[in-house]
Amino acid sequence: MNEMKVVSIGKGSDNLLIVPKAPVYLNDEAKKHYKEMGNILAKNNRMKEIFLPALIIYAESMAQFEFAISEIRRKNKEKQGSGYVQKFATGAQNISVEVSLKKSAIDDLLKCFKIFGMDPKSEKELKDITDPNQGNLFEEMLKMKKGQ
């Protein structure tokens, strides 16, 4: 079993200084997202021990989102639209599994963003209880993606 070693500055509801190692059951892509977002949250004093399950969900959902997008693009290169529409032998059509996966991942990501104060409303609510000099998490995430 993966033992978590959490370094914190106080109670379980206080900010973590260091994000614990990602759970072993996450794949490499999800572990990458766990580490990157965990470090951004810790740097901005928004990572708490009680948020670790949400960070795990974020990481897995981000990996699923990226997979779904890449599969949609791959299928659309083979045949335009085939990444969006699934055709059955009976002639019936439905949205593709990848589109469903993408939508589910987006829903989960938006919930996680809310927990971490990464949408305007929840960020405003967090500003009332956190240091206003913490920085903008969305800007940090964009920098991470651009490799800055």
Side-chain angles (χ1 to χ4, degrees), residues 25-44:
Y25 55 81
L26 292 179
N27 67 23
D28 290 343
E29 286 300 309
K31 285 179 182 177
K32 177 187 82 166
H33 293 299
Y34 176 94
K35 182 179 179 182
E36 288 174 347
M37 183 56 75
N39 288 334
I40 289 172
L41 292 167
K43 177 181 167 189
N44 286 279

Side-chain angles (χ1 to χ4, degrees), residues 122-144:
S122 60
E123 182 180 36
K124 182 183 179 312
E125 291 169 359
L126 279 177
K127 280 186 179 179
D128 294 337
I129 58 172
T130 58
D131 181 359
N133 297 319
Q134 288 180 356
N136 184 309
L137 281 178
F138 188 68
E139 287 177 16
E140 290 287 330
M141 193 170 87
L142 288 176
K143 286 180 191 175
M144 174 185 73

Side-chain angles (χ1 to χ4, degrees), residues 64 68 72 83-84 86 94-107:
Q64 289 176 9
I72 289 168
Y84 303 118
Q86 180 177 356
N94 201 353
I95 61 172
S96 71
V97 173
E98 292 82 10
V99 170
S100 295
L101 177 61
K102 182 181 87 161
K103 182 187 179 331
S104 176
I106 288 171
D107 291 345

